[in-house]
Structures are given as structure tokens and as C-alpha cells.
Amino acid sequence: MPKLILCLLFFCSSIFATQLSDKEILAQANNDFEQAKFAALQNPEVAEDLYIKSINAYRFLIEEKAYKNSQLYNNLANAYFMHGEAGLAILHYHRALRLDPTNADISHNLRYAQAQTNDVVPQNSFQEILNFVCFWHAWNPQLRLGLFFFFNLSFFGLCAYALHSNKTWVKKTRLYTGLLSLIFAISILISVSSFDQNIDGVIVSKESNPRQGNGYIYNNAFTNPLHAGTEFALLEDRGEWLHIELVNGSTCWIKNSDIALLK
């Protein structure tokens, strides 16, 4: 029933939205979202209606008007998150970051939403070692970019200075700044070129019981069910059932209706 109501509201809002300009629709959606945050403490029912209105308006701009804008996806994700739909929020944060991989605000929103999910999937040993050794790769992308420019400029400045000086400290400092510049350059390139390459979708159903095979005749893959917001890589698509891999390397089969793909 809630899904039916949401669809009807989306249909009605789409008809109403055709009478407004895109800028007016966006402004109204942003206003509804802000009002919902203030109303949440005093009148949760009013807040819920306002969140749904903002969600429908953002969806209209994305789905009907075909806007591909990272901030628009981020706004939609924020509205879903505040409405209690963590799975759809994480899904759209990922979509926003695919359009703008170095956006620090969206990255922060995604990490916060991930921290609120029920399924905290542990990383495998290799990932833990890699994150420990290359700890700087988890830093804010803008911070890494700033450090790259700092060390890069320092390196070339020292190269120019070394033309007129044979001091040992100049050569050593030039070597260190060059290495640090290279390290941060590689880190940034990895973030930009391979961001989310292992995340193909997100569980959006409130609760899902994956199986060891593609059907209900197979046993449950895990002792406990998975919940909305759990991310995965797609291994195989058999229509009604999908073979997926979680971030810790665990694999299972899940119903197509329980998930949403990033594409």
C-alpha cells in the first residue's frame, strides 16, 4: 500500500510539475526538504509528506527530464535518507559520485549513510592490510589533491634550486617531495578512474534472505538476513535471481526485486 501511494503521488506531482519550470520544480523540492527537516520533530506526518513531495520532484527531474547532475542525485539521496530509506539513499549517493568522484560532501554523506546500515560487512584481510599500508588513500580527495600540488610544486622548485646548489639536503628533499607527489598522484588517479568499480548495486528491500543457489529450494546463504543499504558486485544475472559478491568476498544469490543496480 505505501508503494501504491508513493506511485500515485509521483504521478500526480508529475502532472503538476509540467506546469512549472525546471528551476521552480527544483526550488520547490529543496524548500519541501528543508521544511520537512524542521517539521520532523513537531509533526512527523507532515514531515513524511514533505519528504515524499521532494523525492517525487527530484525523481521527476532525473527520470522525466533526464537531468544527470551529481547535486541533484545527492539531494534525492538526502531526501531518501531522511525518509528512512537507507538503501535508496546509498544507491543515489553512489550515482552522484559516479558523476563527480572527488566531491567531498557527497563522499561524506555516503560514508555516514553506510555507517547507519544494519549490515556492517567486514573487509577481507587483503583490504584491511591495503588500507593500513596505504592509509592516505582514505583521506578526503580534495586534501589529497592539495597535497599533490604542494609536493609537486616543491619538487620542481627544488629542481630549479638544485641547478645552482649542490647541497645534500636539497637533493634529499627533492627526492622525498618527488616521491610524495607521485604517491598522491597515483592515489587521485585510482579514485577517479576506478571509483565504485566493484560496486554494481545496493539492497533496497528492508530485509532480504539470500540463498546458496538461484531459488527458494536452496538454503539461506547466511545465518542472518541482509538489510537495505548493503552493497555488492554483480557476478551473474539470471533474471529473477542475481549472483552477487559482498565487499568481504562472500557470495550468494538474491532476488532481483530486493536490489537496485547503479546503472
mmCIF file of all heavy atoms in Angstrom, residues 111 114 119-135 137-138 196 198-199 230-231 245-250:
data_model
loop_
_atom_site.group_PDB
_atom_site.id
_atom_site.type_symbol
_atom_site.label_atom_id
_atom_site.label_comp_id
_atom_site.label_asym_id
_atom_site.label_seq_id
_atom_site.Cartn_x
_atom_site.Cartn_y
_atom_site.Cartn_z
ATOM 1 N N ARG A 111 29.457 7.900 3.299
ATOM 2 C CA ARG A 111 30.063 7.201 4.443
ATOM 3 C C ARG A 111 29.145 7.244 5.661
ATOM 4 O O ARG A 111 29.034 6.254 6.400
ATOM 5 C CB ARG A 111 31.422 7.822 4.776
ATOM 6 C CG ARG A 111 32.510 7.523 3.757
ATOM 7 C CD ARG A 111 33.883 7.863 4.315
ATOM 8 N NE ARG A 111 33.998 9.281 4.616
ATOM 9 C CZ ARG A 111 34.415 10.197 3.759
ATOM 10 N NH1 ARG A 111 34.750 9.846 2.524
ATOM 11 N NH2 ARG A 111 34.519 11.468 4.117
ATOM 12 N N GLN A 114 26.299 4.797 5.064
ATOM 13 C CA GLN A 114 26.799 3.426 5.196
ATOM 14 C C GLN A 114 26.955 3.037 6.661
ATOM 15 O O GLN A 114 26.693 1.894 7.038
ATOM 16 C CB GLN A 114 28.140 3.289 4.472
ATOM 17 C CG GLN A 114 28.035 3.336 2.955
ATOM 18 C CD GLN A 114 29.390 3.463 2.280
ATOM 19 O OE1 GLN A 114 30.323 4.035 2.844
ATOM 20 N NE2 GLN A 114 29.506 2.944 1.076
ATOM 21 N N ASP A 119 23.785 -3.868 8.310
ATOM 22 C CA ASP A 119 24.771 -4.874 7.930
ATOM 23 C C ASP A 119 26.147 -4.236 7.813
ATOM 24 O O ASP A 119 26.438 -3.551 6.832
ATOM 25 C CB ASP A 119 24.398 -5.520 6.588
ATOM 26 C CG ASP A 119 23.037 -6.187 6.644
ATOM 27 O OD1 ASP A 119 22.710 -6.748 7.702
ATOM 28 O OD2 ASP A 119 22.314 -6.129 5.641
ATOM 29 N N VAL A 120 26.980 -4.433 8.813
ATOM 30 C CA VAL A 120 28.355 -3.950 8.759
ATOM 31 C C VAL A 120 29.205 -5.114 8.263
ATOM 32 O O VAL A 120 29.640 -5.961 9.038
ATOM 33 C CB VAL A 120 28.841 -3.460 10.140
ATOM 34 C CG1 VAL A 120 30.265 -2.941 10.045
ATOM 35 C CG2 VAL A 120 27.907 -2.379 10.671
ATOM 36 N N VAL A 121 29.412 -5.166 6.946
ATOM 37 C CA VAL A 121 30.136 -6.278 6.341
ATOM 38 C C VAL A 121 31.630 -6.055 6.523
ATOM 39 O O VAL A 121 32.173 -5.057 6.048
ATOM 40 C CB VAL A 121 29.810 -6.400 4.838
ATOM 41 C CG1 VAL A 121 30.538 -7.588 4.229
ATOM 42 C CG2 VAL A 121 28.306 -6.539 4.646
ATOM 43 N N PRO A 122 32.321 -6.948 7.231
ATOM 44 C CA PRO A 122 33.756 -6.747 7.462
ATOM 45 C C PRO A 122 34.552 -6.883 6.176
ATOM 46 O O PRO A 122 34.192 -7.639 5.273
ATOM 47 C CB PRO A 122 34.112 -7.867 8.453
ATOM 48 C CG PRO A 122 33.100 -8.932 8.186
ATOM 49 C CD PRO A 122 31.833 -8.209 7.816
ATOM 50 N N GLN A 123 35.655 -6.136 6.086
ATOM 51 C CA GLN A 123 36.536 -6.244 4.933
ATOM 52 C C GLN A 123 37.366 -7.517 5.037
ATOM 53 O O GLN A 123 37.593 -8.042 6.125
ATOM 54 C CB GLN A 123 37.468 -5.032 4.863
ATOM 55 C CG GLN A 123 36.756 -3.716 4.596
ATOM 56 C CD GLN A 123 37.730 -2.561 4.532
ATOM 57 O OE1 GLN A 123 38.720 -2.541 5.246
ATOM 58 N NE2 GLN A 123 37.456 -1.603 3.670
ATOM 59 N N ASN A 124 37.805 -8.010 3.871
ATOM 60 C CA ASN A 124 38.676 -9.178 3.916
ATOM 61 C C ASN A 124 40.084 -8.760 4.337
ATOM 62 O O ASN A 124 40.404 -7.578 4.425
ATOM 63 C CB ASN A 124 38.696 -9.900 2.558
ATOM 64 C CG ASN A 124 39.149 -8.994 1.424
ATOM 65 O OD1 ASN A 124 40.081 -8.218 1.580
ATOM 66 N ND2 ASN A 124 38.485 -9.099 0.279
ATOM 67 N N SER A 125 40.941 -9.734 4.595
ATOM 68 C CA SER A 125 42.279 -9.461 5.134
ATOM 69 C C SER A 125 43.107 -8.592 4.194
ATOM 70 O O SER A 125 43.820 -7.685 4.633
ATOM 71 C CB SER A 125 43.007 -10.781 5.397
ATOM 72 O OG SER A 125 42.300 -11.553 6.340
ATOM 73 N N PHE A 126 43.020 -8.867 2.881
ATOM 74 C CA PHE A 126 43.803 -8.086 1.920
ATOM 75 C C PHE A 126 43.397 -6.617 1.958
ATOM 76 O O PHE A 126 44.248 -5.722 1.935
ATOM 77 C CB PHE A 126 43.617 -8.649 0.512
ATOM 78 C CG PHE A 126 44.292 -7.825 -0.554
ATOM 79 C CD1 PHE A 126 45.664 -7.877 -0.735
ATOM 80 C CD2 PHE A 126 43.543 -6.976 -1.364
ATOM 81 C CE1 PHE A 126 46.290 -7.105 -1.706
ATOM 82 C CE2 PHE A 126 44.156 -6.208 -2.336
ATOM 83 C CZ PHE A 126 45.531 -6.275 -2.507
ATOM 84 N N GLN A 127 42.080 -6.348 2.009
ATOM 85 C CA GLN A 127 41.605 -4.972 2.056
ATOM 86 C C GLN A 127 42.069 -4.272 3.325
ATOM 87 O O GLN A 127 42.443 -3.100 3.299
ATOM 88 C CB GLN A 127 40.076 -4.944 1.970
ATOM 89 C CG GLN A 127 39.530 -5.333 0.604
ATOM 90 C CD GLN A 127 38.025 -5.459 0.613
ATOM 91 O OE1 GLN A 127 37.436 -5.965 1.569
ATOM 92 N NE2 GLN A 127 37.390 -5.002 -0.448
ATOM 93 N N GLU A 128 42.046 -4.978 4.447
ATOM 94 C CA GLU A 128 42.478 -4.386 5.708
ATOM 95 C C GLU A 128 43.962 -4.027 5.666
ATOM 96 O O GLU A 128 44.368 -2.955 6.119
ATOM 97 C CB GLU A 128 42.201 -5.353 6.860
ATOM 98 C CG GLU A 128 40.715 -5.536 7.155
ATOM 99 C CD GLU A 128 40.477 -6.521 8.276
ATOM 100 O OE1 GLU A 128 41.436 -7.226 8.658
ATOM 101 O OE2 GLU A 128 39.344 -6.588 8.777
ATOM 102 N N ILE A 129 44.780 -4.929 5.109
ATOM 103 C CA ILE A 129 46.222 -4.665 5.004
ATOM 104 C C ILE A 129 46.481 -3.492 4.065
ATOM 105 O O ILE A 129 47.285 -2.602 4.357
ATOM 106 C CB ILE A 129 46.965 -5.926 4.513
ATOM 107 C CG1 ILE A 129 46.872 -7.036 5.569
ATOM 108 C CG2 ILE A 129 48.425 -5.609 4.205
ATOM 109 C CD1 ILE A 129 47.420 -8.371 5.103
ATOM 110 N N LEU A 130 45.770 -3.481 2.924
ATOM 111 C CA LEU A 130 45.952 -2.405 1.950
ATOM 112 C C LEU A 130 45.570 -1.056 2.550
ATOM 113 O O LEU A 130 46.286 -0.063 2.375
ATOM 114 C CB LEU A 130 45.106 -2.685 0.708
ATOM 115 C CG LEU A 130 45.241 -1.687 -0.450
ATOM 116 C CD1 LEU A 130 46.669 -1.692 -0.986
ATOM 117 C CD2 LEU A 130 44.256 -2.013 -1.562
ATOM 118 N N ASN A 131 44.450 -1.015 3.273
ATOM 119 C CA ASN A 131 44.017 0.241 3.890
ATOM 120 C C ASN A 131 44.969 0.690 4.987
ATOM 121 O O ASN A 131 45.123 1.887 5.236
ATOM 122 C CB ASN A 131 42.603 0.084 4.460
ATOM 123 C CG ASN A 131 41.552 -0.021 3.368
ATOM 124 O OD1 ASN A 131 41.791 0.368 2.233
ATOM 125 N ND2 ASN A 131 40.402 -0.564 3.706
ATOM 126 N N PHE A 132 45.608 -0.277 5.656
ATOM 127 C CA PHE A 132 46.555 0.073 6.713
ATOM 128 C C PHE A 132 47.848 0.630 6.123
ATOM 129 O O PHE A 132 48.371 1.648 6.577
ATOM 130 C CB PHE A 132 46.859 -1.158 7.576
ATOM 131 C CG PHE A 132 47.889 -0.903 8.652
ATOM 132 C CD1 PHE A 132 47.538 -0.218 9.803
ATOM 133 C CD2 PHE A 132 49.197 -1.337 8.497
ATOM 134 C CE1 PHE A 132 48.485 0.026 10.798
ATOM 135 C CE2 PHE A 132 50.147 -1.101 9.480
ATOM 136 C CZ PHE A 132 49.790 -0.420 10.633
ATOM 137 N N VAL A 133 48.359 -0.033 5.078
ATOM 138 C CA VAL A 133 49.621 0.392 4.458
ATOM 139 C C VAL A 133 49.433 1.701 3.696
ATOM 140 O O VAL A 133 50.245 2.620 3.814
ATOM 141 C CB VAL A 133 50.156 -0.713 3.525
ATOM 142 C CG1 VAL A 133 51.397 -0.227 2.784
ATOM 143 C CG2 VAL A 133 50.477 -1.970 4.323
ATOM 144 N N CYS A 134 48.364 1.776 2.909
ATOM 145 C CA CYS A 134 48.096 2.982 2.101
ATOM 146 C C CYS A 134 47.005 3.816 2.775
ATOM 147 O O CYS A 134 45.975 4.118 2.170
ATOM 148 C CB CYS A 134 47.682 2.589 0.686
ATOM 149 S SG CYS A 134 48.876 1.546 -0.172
ATOM 150 N N PHE A 135 47.239 4.186 4.021
ATOM 151 C CA PHE A 135 46.223 4.868 4.817
ATOM 152 C C PHE A 135 45.792 6.198 4.220
ATOM 153 O O PHE A 135 44.660 6.645 4.408
ATOM 154 C CB PHE A 135 46.729 5.077 6.248
ATOM 155 C CG PHE A 135 47.996 5.889 6.329
ATOM 156 C CD1 PHE A 135 47.958 7.266 6.431
ATOM 157 C CD2 PHE A 135 49.235 5.256 6.297
ATOM 158 C CE1 PHE A 135 49.121 8.009 6.502
ATOM 159 C CE2 PHE A 135 50.407 5.995 6.368
ATOM 160 C CZ PHE A 135 50.353 7.376 6.467
ATOM 161 N N HIS A 137 45.088 6.907 1.265
ATOM 162 C CA HIS A 137 44.106 6.779 0.189
ATOM 163 C C HIS A 137 42.678 6.994 0.699
ATOM 164 O O HIS A 137 41.768 7.274 -0.085
ATOM 165 C CB HIS A 137 44.224 5.407 -0.473
ATOM 166 C CG HIS A 137 43.448 5.287 -1.746
ATOM 167 N ND1 HIS A 137 43.709 6.059 -2.863
ATOM 168 C CD2 HIS A 137 42.389 4.501 -2.076
ATOM 169 C CE1 HIS A 137 42.862 5.741 -3.826
ATOM 170 N NE2 HIS A 137 42.054 4.810 -3.375
ATOM 171 N N ALA A 138 42.484 6.869 2.010
ATOM 172 C CA ALA A 138 41.157 7.082 2.594
ATOM 173 C C ALA A 138 40.912 8.546 2.943
ATOM 174 O O ALA A 138 39.818 8.908 3.372
ATOM 175 C CB ALA A 138 40.993 6.218 3.848
ATOM 176 N N ASP A 196 34.173 3.133 -7.316
ATOM 177 C CA ASP A 196 32.976 2.289 -7.293
ATOM 178 C C ASP A 196 32.991 1.182 -8.337
ATOM 179 O O ASP A 196 31.948 0.625 -8.655
ATOM 180 C CB ASP A 196 31.707 3.135 -7.522
ATOM 181 C CG ASP A 196 31.249 3.821 -6.260
ATOM 182 O OD1 ASP A 196 31.781 3.490 -5.198
ATOM 183 O OD2 ASP A 196 30.370 4.679 -6.341
ATOM 184 N N ASN A 198 33.834 -1.748 -8.164
ATOM 185 C CA ASN A 198 33.432 -3.028 -7.607
ATOM 186 C C ASN A 198 32.031 -2.996 -7.010
ATOM 187 O O ASN A 198 31.574 -3.995 -6.467
ATOM 188 C CB ASN A 198 34.439 -3.474 -6.541
ATOM 189 C CG ASN A 198 35.805 -3.755 -7.131
ATOM 190 O OD1 ASN A 198 35.907 -4.268 -8.235
ATOM 191 N ND2 ASN A 198 36.857 -3.406 -6.410
ATOM 192 N N ILE A 199 31.362 -1.855 -7.063
ATOM 193 C CA ILE A 199 30.005 -1.742 -6.546
ATOM 194 C C ILE A 199 29.050 -1.626 -7.731
ATOM 195 O O ILE A 199 29.084 -0.660 -8.477
ATOM 196 C CB ILE A 199 29.853 -0.513 -5.622
ATOM 197 C CG1 ILE A 199 30.805 -0.614 -4.432
ATOM 198 C CG2 ILE A 199 28.406 -0.396 -5.142
ATOM 199 C CD1 ILE A 199 30.554 -1.796 -3.526
ATOM 200 N N THR A 230 23.107 -2.588 1.986
ATOM 201 C CA THR A 230 24.259 -3.456 1.757
ATOM 202 C C THR A 230 24.647 -3.414 0.281
ATOM 203 O O THR A 230 23.812 -3.618 -0.596
ATOM 204 C CB THR A 230 23.942 -4.904 2.173
ATOM 205 O OG1 THR A 230 23.624 -4.928 3.563
ATOM 206 C CG2 THR A 230 25.129 -5.816 1.916
ATOM 207 N N GLU A 231 25.928 -3.161 0.017
ATOM 208 C CA GLU A 231 26.417 -3.010 -1.353
ATOM 209 C C GLU A 231 27.006 -4.324 -1.863
ATOM 210 O O GLU A 231 27.455 -5.153 -1.076
ATOM 211 C CB GLU A 231 27.477 -1.905 -1.404
ATOM 212 C CG GLU A 231 26.943 -0.557 -0.951
ATOM 213 C CD GLU A 231 27.978 0.278 -0.226
ATOM 214 O OE1 GLU A 231 28.669 -0.274 0.660
ATOM 215 O OE2 GLU A 231 28.098 1.469 -0.537
ATOM 216 N N GLU A 245 28.387 -10.623 -4.998
ATOM 217 C CA GLU A 245 29.518 -10.736 -4.078
ATOM 218 C C GLU A 245 29.538 -9.513 -3.172
ATOM 219 O O GLU A 245 29.521 -8.375 -3.651
ATOM 220 C CB GLU A 245 30.834 -10.832 -4.844
ATOM 221 C CG GLU A 245 32.058 -10.954 -3.937
ATOM 222 C CD GLU A 245 33.363 -11.050 -4.714
ATOM 223 O OE1 GLU A 245 33.304 -11.042 -5.963
ATOM 224 O OE2 GLU A 245 34.429 -11.124 -4.084
ATOM 225 N N LEU A 246 29.565 -9.743 -1.864
ATOM 226 C CA LEU A 246 29.627 -8.647 -0.902
ATOM 227 C C LEU A 246 31.056 -8.120 -0.811
ATOM 228 O O LEU A 246 31.993 -8.722 -1.341
ATOM 229 C CB LEU A 246 29.136 -9.118 0.464
ATOM 230 C CG LEU A 246 27.735 -9.748 0.504
ATOM 231 C CD1 LEU A 246 27.345 -10.091 1.933
ATOM 232 C CD2 LEU A 246 26.702 -8.831 -0.132
ATOM 233 N N VAL A 247 31.233 -6.997 -0.125
ATOM 234 C CA VAL A 247 32.544 -6.347 -0.094
ATOM 235 C C VAL A 247 33.598 -7.178 0.628
ATOM 236 O O VAL A 247 34.798 -6.948 0.462
ATOM 237 C CB VAL A 247 32.450 -4.950 0.560
ATOM 238 C CG1 VAL A 247 31.598 -4.017 -0.278
ATOM 239 C CG2 VAL A 247 31.916 -5.040 1.983
ATOM 240 N N ASN A 248 33.179 -8.152 1.434
ATOM 241 C CA ASN A 248 34.151 -9.004 2.131
ATOM 242 C C ASN A 248 34.455 -10.287 1.364
ATOM 243 O O ASN A 248 35.160 -11.160 1.864
ATOM 244 C CB ASN A 248 33.650 -9.344 3.533
ATOM 245 C CG ASN A 248 32.415 -10.230 3.510
ATOM 246 O OD1 ASN A 248 31.767 -10.384 2.472
ATOM 247 N ND2 ASN A 248 32.081 -10.809 4.646
ATOM 248 N N GLY A 249 33.908 -10.402 0.146
ATOM 249 C CA GLY A 249 34.183 -11.574 -0.679
ATOM 250 C C GLY A 249 33.146 -12.668 -0.590
ATOM 251 O O GLY A 249 33.193 -13.633 -1.367
ATOM 252 N N SER A 250 32.185 -12.569 0.333
ATOM 253 C CA SER A 250 31.124 -13.573 0.442
ATOM 254 C C SER A 250 30.204 -13.487 -0.774
ATOM 255 O O SER A 250 29.909 -12.395 -1.267
ATOM 256 C CB SER A 250 30.307 -13.347 1.716
ATOM 257 O OG SER A 250 31.125 -13.410 2.863
#
